[in-house]
């Protein structure tokens, strides 16, 4: 990696201040994407601001409305949380299948969503449940947060502090993994969410997206059969050596069907 | 001693240091004054080098030296050590392969310059500042279209990008046999290109001592003495007696660490020029780009059968991708390690095989676990399985109809091999039992009820290993002898150091060889140490590859042990005041026949070094060296049966059962052998279902990281049912055959035959390796369309 200045942030405000005043400074959470990027000399930041150790970002709390998970909570902690399992078991299940044990013990919710990898799992949960992202500046609805390929609504001086997930009725996530990376080729989160049925797809396109036709069908008839016949267009979906756009489109339907079946 | 002798499942002694992180690998070594190398590599598959400007880089902090190809003109190019004679009686075309490119680069990753600096970061920074003016040329990537006229020319000395066209067998006779056949099965397929992916990347440290003129090269090598020989004889880097090659713990090789690569040549040369030790360790991307790849054949294969299902003849045409240059043993792989195995386990009447070895703008292809034999087994076993399906025969029965019978050994195949022994039908029966073949139809029905497709596939492979009888190999073009040496050194206190020229990089030699010595000499297993990997300690060696370490290296140990016993007998006879002829040796004791007068071998050793009461004229010491040159290859064989379930909705394939029955002759350590079988099958499953080196049309390696290159994981492979049906080889003193590659040779056909069987239910006739979910799903869609 190239040389850079390392700063261990004492507070969210301090971290936001550093990255806000230097567009070549970068926040470090779990580092599951960023450390390999640095090691391969694919990034050359002036300053890396380490959020590990910043107080107040690592809690999980539940109330009648749902669960709120701190930005620095590791995937393994979400997977193991009794609060998450009680409120939204599908969310705990999703977290338990992110990456591998090493990634789950190190990777964070905030880091994952701020990176917005098109094949990451968490974006499907946030959009599928109608979650709200809390930053040092504002609250952002999940539907508005993920804006494109590795793009989010976050400003340069904005730091994710937590995500609030409203309780849902039936919900489940199914993904078809890339055989090599095990990221989602197509991952579908279905939920009887607080504001209605949601179907969120990750992995298949450049950014997480919802499938309105499936949502309407499931709202009318919550069953795997209701979505089995609903295809999505292959246009604009990702293509690589592991999956054509047509295959991805097909897998979205299959995963949606299986997610509904899994949700019960 | 038998509890830790030959045949005992002794836990590997080397695992204590490996699993506790105490292994000592090349990158763990640091020398005083050590500098670091970073290679400037071509980002283009094919380009002229119009200029390499190193001025800015030379001025950067910490830089000790920057060298380009022209600087190393005194160093000979990398060589191919096996000369193939083509169909016209001409030698193969092996264009020069300079360690650092001169004038032209021929694959992405080809080394253009080396930058040596005090720290690795400084070397990387300076390497980035080397300004290379490339004249980009079109790239040749697809081996199937590499050779025709009018293509882009890679090497001036290899017209049509052809290294050689080679053939074996009587083409006219085979063509005639096909004319008279009742049925012909014809298949076309690729044998997919694989990246070896040893866990430890290649690494080396080169050091020159000005005071003595000695060079030391620490290196990830499967054959340190071969490295020493080639670097001395062909590259002129140092006289052989002034070059010490040390291969310490090596974390996996699979063939990829046999070869002499540019990096160790450059570092050894440069260490003298800068007067400092130099270290280089490949990063994973460099491993993908520059380790020799494996396989990469495009083949059309045909099998002719008579009305009774007897195999009349086989005809095979293969295009083998050599990559950009001929690597160390590359030319032998698609010829003498491939076409000579096309008889398989069968009495096929005649065989013709034609091989065109072509150059492409990709990293060189060379031996990878199995080396030619997996490709051959895939040809034979796919043909047989397809023939069974096409003629409505049970695949097991069709094989049995054609097996070389047990009483026919030694058996001369039509492709110059002489099989020493075997029990092909016995292994098949045992495998059918182990696989629960009789219950397959019931399991298939169960799968069908769950919406899944189930298939079963066979692979009755044979391979040739124990490489190799030197004279025979030499007559076919090998440039080296393929013997092995062993040195058994007793210390005065009775314990033993065994020095072997084979090299352990995962095989468990330190355990298995100690078992051989303990068994043969009656020394407690714990009192035998195995030393390998250092040319300054081990007298000579040819290294470890081609499943040779037991059959060749182990036999050398037995010969050395025999010499120890022979000398010990003289010492004991003198001490016991008996005639040499009356001394028996068993269980570590020299005994006067018919008496209780005895002397333990430890006492004999002590006497040999403290020769106070000693035979007149006999040399002191008990330290014996033996060389062993094998009489023939050995021929492991067996039947593997794989059962898969396919999810037609997603194209996912899961291996539900895998039974393997292998004939490895005598097993020295069944625990280690079973581990080798597991690992080999795992790599075979990788080839069949997961792994693929993909280059785009510009010659860029698309699957150049673990994000896109699918390595087998624990959950990709099943629990294996492993059985043995050993027929001891009569041709070596241990009766062993070799087990390191069999799994990788057998598994691809077993898995793919099962996949084809499953997919035949939905009308899919053909699918290529790797049978990824995308491929399987697409094939099902295409069949339905």
């Amino acid at each position: 990696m190239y040389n850079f200045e390392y700063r261990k942030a004492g507070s969210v405000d301090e971290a936001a201040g550093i990255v806000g005043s230097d567009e070549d400074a970068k926040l470090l959470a779990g580092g599951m994407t960023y450390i390999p990027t640095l090691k391969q000399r694919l990034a050359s930041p002036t300053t890396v601001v380490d959020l590990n150790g910043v107080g107040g970002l690592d809690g999980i709390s539940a109330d009648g409305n749902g669960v709120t998970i701190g930005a620095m909570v590791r995937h393994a902690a979400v997977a193991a949380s009794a609060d998450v399992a009680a409120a939204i078991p599908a969310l705990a299940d999703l977290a338990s299948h992110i990456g591998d044990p090493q990634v789950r013990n190190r990777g964070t919710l905030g880091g994952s969503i701020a990176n917005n990898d098109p094949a990451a799992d968490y974006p499907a949960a946030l959009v599928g449940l109608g979650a709200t992202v809390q930053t040092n500046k504002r609250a952002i609805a999940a539907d508005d947060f993920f804006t494109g390929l590795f793009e989010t609504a976050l400003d340069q001086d904005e730091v994710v502090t937590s995500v609030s997930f409203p309780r849902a009725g039936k919900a489940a996530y199914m993904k078809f993994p890339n055989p090599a990376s095990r990221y989602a080729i197509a991952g579908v989160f279905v939920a009887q969410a607080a504001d209605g049925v949601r179907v969120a797809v990750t992995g298949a396109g450049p950014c997480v997206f919802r499938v309105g036709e499936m949502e309407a069908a499931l709202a009318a008839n919550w069953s795997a059969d209701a979505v089995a016949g609903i295809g999505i267009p292959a246009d604009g979906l990702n293509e690589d050596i592991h999956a054509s756009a047509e295959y991805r489109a097909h897998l979205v339907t299959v995963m949606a069907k299986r997610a509904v079946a899994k949700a019960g | 001693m038998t509890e830790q002798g030959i045949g005992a499942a002794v836990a590997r002694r080397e695992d204590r240091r490996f699993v506790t992180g105490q292994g000592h690998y090349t990158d763990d070594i640091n020398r005083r004054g050590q500098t670091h190398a970073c290679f400037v590599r071509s980002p283009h598959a094919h380009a002229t080098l119009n200029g390499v400007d190193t001025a800015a880089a030379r001025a950067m902090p910490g830089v000790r030296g920057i060298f380009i190809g022209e600087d190393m003109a005194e160093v000979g190019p990398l060589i191919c050590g096996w000369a193939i004679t083509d169909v016209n009686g001409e030698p193969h075309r092996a264009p020069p392969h300079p360690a650092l490119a001169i004038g032209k680069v021929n694959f992405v990753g080809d080394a253009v310059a080396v930058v040596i600096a005090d720290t690795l970061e400084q070397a990387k920074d300076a390497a980035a500042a080397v300004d290379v003016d490339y004249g980009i040329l079109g790239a040749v990537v697809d081996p199937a279209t590499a050779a025709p006229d009018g293509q882009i020319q890679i090497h001036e000395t290899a017209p049509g990008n052809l290294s050689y066209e080679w053939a074996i067998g009587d083409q006219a006779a085979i063509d005639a046999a096909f004319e008279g056949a009742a049925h012909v099965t014809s298949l076309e397929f690729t044998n997919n290109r694989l990246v070896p992916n040893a866990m430890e990347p290649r690494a080396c440290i080169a050091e020159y001592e000005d005071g003595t003129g000695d060079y030391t090269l620490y290196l990830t090598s499967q054959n340190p003495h071969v490295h020493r020989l080639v670097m001395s004889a062909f590259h002129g880097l140092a006289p052989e007696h002034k070059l010490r090659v040390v291969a310490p713990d090596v974390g996996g090789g699979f063939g990829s660490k046999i070869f002499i690569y540019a990096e160790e040549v450059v570092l050894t040369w440069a260490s003298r020029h800068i007067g400092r030790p130099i270290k280089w360790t490949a990063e994973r991307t460099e491993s993908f780009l520059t380790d020799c790849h494996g396989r990469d054949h495009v083949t059309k294969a045909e099998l002719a059968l008579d009305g009774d299902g007897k195999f009349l003849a086989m005809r095979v045409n293969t295009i083998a991708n050599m990559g950009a240059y001929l690597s160390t043993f590359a030319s032998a792989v698609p010829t003498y390690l491939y076409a000579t195995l096309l008889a398989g386990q069968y009495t096929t009447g005649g065989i013709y095989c034609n091989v065109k070895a072509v150059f492409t703008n990709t990293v060189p292809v060379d031996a990878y676990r199995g080396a030619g034999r997996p490709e051959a087994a895939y040809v034979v076993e796919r043909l047989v399985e397809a023939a069974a399906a096409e003629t409505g025969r049970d695949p097991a029965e069709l094989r049995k109809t054609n097996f070389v019978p047990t009483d026919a050994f030694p058996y001369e195949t039509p492709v110059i091999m002489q099989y020493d022994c075997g029990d092909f039908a016995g292994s098949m029966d045992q495998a059918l039992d182990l696989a629960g073949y009789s219950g397959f139809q019931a399991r298939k029905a169960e799968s069908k009820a769950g919406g899944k497709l189930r298939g079963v596939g066979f692979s009755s492979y044979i391979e040739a290993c124990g490489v190799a009888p030197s004279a025979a190999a030499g007559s076919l073009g090998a440039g080296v002898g393929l013997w092995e040496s062993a040195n058994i050194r007793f210390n005065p206190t009775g314990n033993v150091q065994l020095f072997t020229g084979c090299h352990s990089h995962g095989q468990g030699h330190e355990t298995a060889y100690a078992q051989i010595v303990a068994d043969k000499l009656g020394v407690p297993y714990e009192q035998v140490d195995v030393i390998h990997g250092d040319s300054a300690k081990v007298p000579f060696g040819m290294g470890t590859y081609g499943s040779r370490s037991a059959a060749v290296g182990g036999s050398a140990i037995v010969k050395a042990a025999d010499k120890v016993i022979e000398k010990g007998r003289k010492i004991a006879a003198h001490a016991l005041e008996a005639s040499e002829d009356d001394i028996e040796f068993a269980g570590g004791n020299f005994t006067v026949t018919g008496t209780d007068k005895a002397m333990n071998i430890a006492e004999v050793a002590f006497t040999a070094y403290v020769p106070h009461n000693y035979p007149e004229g006999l040399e002191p010491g008990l330290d014996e060296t033996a060389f062993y040159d094998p009489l023939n290859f050995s021929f492991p064989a067996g039947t593997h049966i794989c059962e898969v379930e396919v999810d037609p909705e997603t194209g996912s394939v899961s291996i539900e059962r895998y039974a393997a029955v292998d004939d490895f002759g005598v097993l020295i350590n069944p625990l280690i052998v079973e581990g080798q079988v597991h690992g080999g099958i795992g790599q075979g499953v990788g080839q069949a279902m997961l792994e693929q080196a993909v280059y785009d049309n510009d010659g860029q390696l698309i699957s150049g990281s673990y994000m896109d290159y699918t390595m087998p994981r624990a959950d990709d492979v099943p629990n294996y049912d492993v059985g043995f049906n050993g027929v001891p080889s009569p041709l070596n003193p241990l009766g062993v055959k070799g087990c390191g590659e069999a799994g990788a040779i057998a598994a691809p056909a077993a898995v793919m035959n099962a996949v084809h069987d499953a997919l035949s239910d939905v009308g899919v006739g053909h699918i290529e390796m790797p049978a990824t979910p995308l491929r399987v799903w697409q094939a099902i869609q295409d069949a339905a369309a």
Side-chain angles (χ1 to χ4, degrees):
Chain A
M1 55 182 76
Y2 295 110
N3 278 329
F4 52 80
E5 191 184 348
Y6 173 82
R7 297 275 298 274
K8 196 161 178 68
S11 67
V12 170
D13 286 345
E14 183 191 352
I18 297 168
V19 293
S21 62
D22 177 359
E23 64 176 23
D24 293 324
K26 187 81 176 171
L27 297 171
L28 177 70
M32 294 297 90
T33 299
Y34 198 56
I35 296 294
T37 303
L38 289 173
K39 286 173 74 173
Q40 293 180 66
R41 293 190 157 201
L42 295 173
S44 182
T46 50
T47 303
V48 170
V49 185
D50 191 350
L51 293 168
N52 290 277
V54 173
L57 299 180
D58 56 357
I60 298 176
S61 61
D63 60 23
N65 297 322
V67 287
T68 296
I69 301 175
M72 289 297 288
V73 174
R74 316 287 167 178
H75 310 326
V78 175
S81 164
D83 284 337
V84 177
I88 314 169
L91 181 58
D93 177 65
L94 174 143
S96 77
H97 290 100
I98 297 172
D100 51 35
Q102 289 82 354
V103 167
R104 291 194 290 275
N105 284 326
R106 192 71 203 158
T108 66
L109 170 60
S112 173
I113 64 170
N115 187 47
N116 194 21
D117 188 304
D121 297 307
Y122 265 134
L126 266 69
V127 173
L129 290 163
T132 302
V133 179
Q134 185 66 50
T135 74
N136 58 323
K137 293 166 71 175
R138 57 186 166 145
I140 309 171
D143 286 340
D144 303 326
F145 182 83
F146 302 104
T147 54
L149 184 72
F150 293 107
E151 296 288 337
T152 67
L154 291 169
D155 295 333
Q156 175 66 22
D157 64 344
E158 197 164 16
V159 180
V160 175
T161 55
S162 67
V163 179
S164 295
F165 295 90
R167 284 176 189 273
K170 291 176 176 177
Y173 177 66
M174 283 295 288
K175 67 173 162 183
F176 192 83
N178 176 314
S181 70
R182 300 272 170 110
Y183 274 85
I185 280 181
V188 181
F189 200 103
V190 299
Q192 296 171 341
D195 62 352
V197 170
R198 282 172 170 257
V199 175
V201 177
T202 190
C207 183
V208 61
F209 63 89
R210 293 171 64 178
V211 184
E213 196 183 343
M214 287 185 182
E215 291 177 351
L218 288 172
N221 169 20
W222 181 267
S223 74
D225 287 345
V227 290
I230 300 175
I232 68 162
D235 279 0
L237 297 188
N238 302 332
E239 287 209 89
D240 54 37
I241 59 174
H242 305 284
S244 60
E246 290 73 22
Y247 183 49
R248 277 193 163 85
H250 168 77
L251 286 175
V252 168
T253 301
V254 175
M255 291 301 113
K257 195 173 72 171
R258 292 184 182 183
V260 175
K262 183 177 172 183
Chain B
M1 287 317 125
T2 51
E3 67 273 13
Q4 289 174 317
I6 292 171
V10 180
R12 302 201 324 173
R13 56 169 58 165
E14 45 270 77
D15 286 346
R16 179 179 174 82
R17 71 175 189 276
F18 292 150
V19 302
T20 57
Q22 298 177 83
H24 205 55
Y25 299 89
T26 298
D27 193 58
D28 295 325
I29 296 168
N30 290 295
R31 304 297 298 170
R32 196 159 51 102
Q34 176 177 285
T35 61
H36 297 266
C38 177
F39 285 85
V40 176
R41 298 188 183 281
S42 172
H44 307 295
H46 197 198
T48 55
L49 284 175
N50 299 334
V52 183
D53 183 354
T54 60
R58 280 178 200 283
M60 290 178 68
V63 173
R64 296 271 169 180
I66 300 178
F67 302 104
I68 62 172
E70 282 80 357
D71 297 326
M72 290 184 66
E74 72 199 55
V75 177
L78 303 177
I79 60 148
C80 176
W82 196 301
I84 296 296
T85 302
D86 75 6
V87 289
N88 301 314
E90 301 289 325
H92 67 209
R93 266 67 72 195
H97 182 185
L100 294 175
I102 297 174
K104 199 159 168 285
V105 288
N106 291 313
F107 68 97
V108 172
D110 212 350
V112 173
V114 63
V115 177
I116 299 156
D118 289 341
T119 70
L120 181 57
E121 295 301 314
Q122 288 171 334
K124 285 186 175 186
D125 289 344
V130 173
D131 186 13
V132 185
D133 180 6
Y134 294 101
I136 299 170
L137 303 170
V140 182
V141 177
D142 181 1
T145 58
D149 297 338
Q151 268 281 355
I152 298 152
Q153 187 66 36
I154 300 173
H155 299 287
E156 277 179 24
T157 53
N161 299 321
L162 187 68
S163 175
Y164 57 82
E165 180 179 357
W166 174 92
I168 192 169
D170 182 339
Q171 186 175 14
I174 301 307
D175 289 348
F178 270 83
E179 293 294 319
H183 182 84
V184 173
T185 290
S186 182
L187 298 175
E188 289 182 46
F189 47 77
T190 62
N191 199 286
N192 44 323
R193 183 182 182 113
L194 305 175
V195 182
N197 279 306
M199 197 181 289
E200 180 206 17
R202 288 192 296 116
C204 53
I205 304 169
E207 181 169 3
Y208 174 70
E209 287 190 47
D210 188 52
T212 60
D214 289 337
Y215 290 85
T216 305
L217 176 64
Y218 302 90
L219 179 67
T220 49
S221 172
Q222 299 179 211
N223 31 234
H225 288 86
V226 175
H227 265 92
R228 188 179 67 149
L229 171 64
V230 173
M231 293 176 79
S232 293
F234 295 95
H235 301 307
L237 289 163
E240 209 170 351
H241 68 298
K242 287 300 203 184
L243 175 59
R244 174 186 174 198
V245 178
V246 184
D249 283 333
V250 172
F254 314 110
S256 70
K257 293 171 181 169
I258 297 172
F259 320 123
I260 287 77
Y261 286 94
E263 291 82 5
E264 52 254 32
V265 170
V266 171
L267 260 63
T268 303
W269 176 84
S271 68
R272 180 171 185 170
H273 283 261
I274 68 156
R276 297 277 291 271
I278 314 168
K279 176 187 269 192
W280 170 78
T281 302
E283 298 193 347
R284 188 54 69 178
T285 300
E286 284 184 296
S287 300
F288 272 99
L289 291 178
T290 67
D291 288 2
C292 284
H293 290 180
R295 319 284 191 254
D296 209 352
H297 286 192
V298 180
T299 292
K300 179 176 183 187
E302 299 159 283
L303 179 66
L305 297 86
D306 72 11
D308 298 325
K310 279 283 204 185
F311 303 157
L312 298 173
M314 186 182 289
R315 193 161 52 196
V316 179
N317 285 280
T318 290
I319 296 169
N321 190 353
M322 298 285 97
Y325 305 98
L326 272 194
S327 174
T328 313
F329 287 110
S331 59
V333 176
T335 48
Y336 293 111
L337 294 176
Y338 167 66
T340 55
L341 274 305
L342 289 171
Q345 299 188 5
Y346 311 108
T347 56
T348 308
I351 296 168
Y352 173 76
C353 178
N354 178 292
V355 178
K356 291 184 180 70
V358 300
F359 292 110
T360 59
N361 293 115
T362 62
V363 71
V365 177
D366 205 329
Y368 168 68
R369 199 173 193 170
R373 292 150 290 161
E375 296 91 314
Y378 194 71
V379 168
V380 176
E381 292 304 295
R382 279 290 300 127
L383 276 175
V384 171
E385 199 95 343
E390 288 170 9
T391 61
R393 292 183 166 92
D394 178 88
E397 288 306 317
L398 180 62
R399 285 177 170 84
K400 285 184 178 180
T401 302
N402 288 280
F403 278 154
V404 175
T406 309
D407 60 8
F409 297 102
Y411 177 79
E412 295 278 352
T413 74
V415 277
I416 71 170
M417 286 293 185
Q418 187 189 73
Y419 298 162
D420 56 347
C421 63
D423 176 20
F424 303 153
S427 295
M428 169 62 87
D429 286 337
Q430 198 176 324
L432 288 170
D433 191 43
L434 198 58
Y437 186 56
S438 57
F440 170 71
Q441 289 303 335
R443 293 190 292 276
K444 186 178 173 75
E446 211 171 291
S447 294
K448 193 174 180 185
K452 304 286 175 61
L453 311 170
R454 200 176 187 100
V456 65
F458 292 75
S459 178
S460 293
Y461 76 99
I462 192 164
E463 66 130 330
C465 63
V467 176
S470 295
S475 75
L476 302 177
V480 292
L482 289 160
W483 42 264
E484 193 46 80
S485 84
N487 170 216
I488 295 177
R489 179 181 302 164
F490 270 81
N491 294 314
T493 50
N495 47 35
V496 175
Q497 287 167 295
L498 167 72
F499 298 84
T500 170
C502 287
H503 185 277
S504 188
H505 34 278
Q507 292 85 353
H509 294 171
E510 292 167 33
T511 301
Y513 282 173
Q515 290 179 252
I516 295 174
V517 173
D519 193 282
K520 293 295 175 190
L521 294 177
V523 180
Y525 165 80
E526 297 78 11
Q527 293 190 22
V528 183
D529 237 16
V530 177
I531 294 139
H532 63 92
D534 185 344
S535 68
K537 295 178 180 173
V538 177
F540 280 104
M542 290 308 296
T544 287
Y545 40 81
S547 302
R548 69 192 303 272
S549 297
V552 189
S555 296
I557 296 169
V558 174
K559 279 192 69 178
D562 288 344
K563 287 186 177 179
V564 166
I565 294 166
E566 198 181 325
K567 185 167 184 182
R569 194 188 308 279
K570 291 184 170 63
I571 298 167
H574 184 83
L576 296 170
E577 298 176 337
S579 157
E580 254 183 72
D581 297 340
D582 293 334
I583 301 289
E584 292 172 354
F585 179 74
N589 291 312
F590 293 92
T591 308
V592 181
T593 309
T595 74
D596 60 356
K597 286 168 69 179
M599 196 173 176
N600 185 264
I601 196 165
E603 296 173 78
V604 169
F606 181 81
T607 306
Y609 290 101
V610 187
H612 297 167
N613 177 18
Y614 204 66
E616 198 178 328
L618 188 68
E619 286 179 19
L622 195 55
D623 183 351
E624 297 291 338
T625 299
F627 284 66
Y628 176 80
D629 202 325
L631 301 170
N632 190 357
F633 292 93
S634 67
F635 296 95
T639 289
H640 289 205
I641 302 175
C642 176
E643 217 170 290
V644 301
E645 194 175 68
V646 178
D647 177 352
E649 211 169 33
T650 62
S652 296
V653 178
S654 71
I655 298 178
E656 297 295 311
R657 287 171 165 242
Y658 196 105
V661 174
D662 296 296
D663 169 10
F664 297 136
V666 172
L667 307 184
I668 297 167
N669 182 325
L671 191 64
I672 290 177
V673 172
E674 197 165 332
Q676 289 286 319
V677 171
H678 286 199
I681 297 171
Q683 281 182 310
V685 167
Q687 170 159 32
M689 294 173 53
L690 307 166
E691 299 183 47
Q692 170 92 315
V694 182
Y695 282 91
D696 71 9
N697 292 336
D698 297 325
Q700 298 290 336
L701 183 62
I702 301 300
S703 54
S705 81
Y706 293 131
M707 294 297 282
D708 285 303
Y709 189 90
T710 311
M711 288 296 285
R713 291 172 167 87
D715 62 354
D716 290 315
V717 294
N719 288 317
Y720 306 111
D721 296 311
V722 174
F724 299 108
N725 178 32
V727 181
S729 170
L731 296 180
N732 66 64
L734 286 165
V736 296
K737 293 189 174 176
C739 64
E741 298 164 288
I745 292 165
V751 173
M752 290 305 290
N753 282 336
V755 170
H756 278 90
D757 184 43
L759 293 179
S760 67
D761 293 350
V762 289
V764 173
H766 175 71
I767 188 162
E768 294 277 14
M769 296 191 289
T772 61
L774 170 63
R775 276 217 174 116
V776 172
W777 177 80
Q778 192 64 54
I780 293 171
Q781 303 312 302
D782 294 348

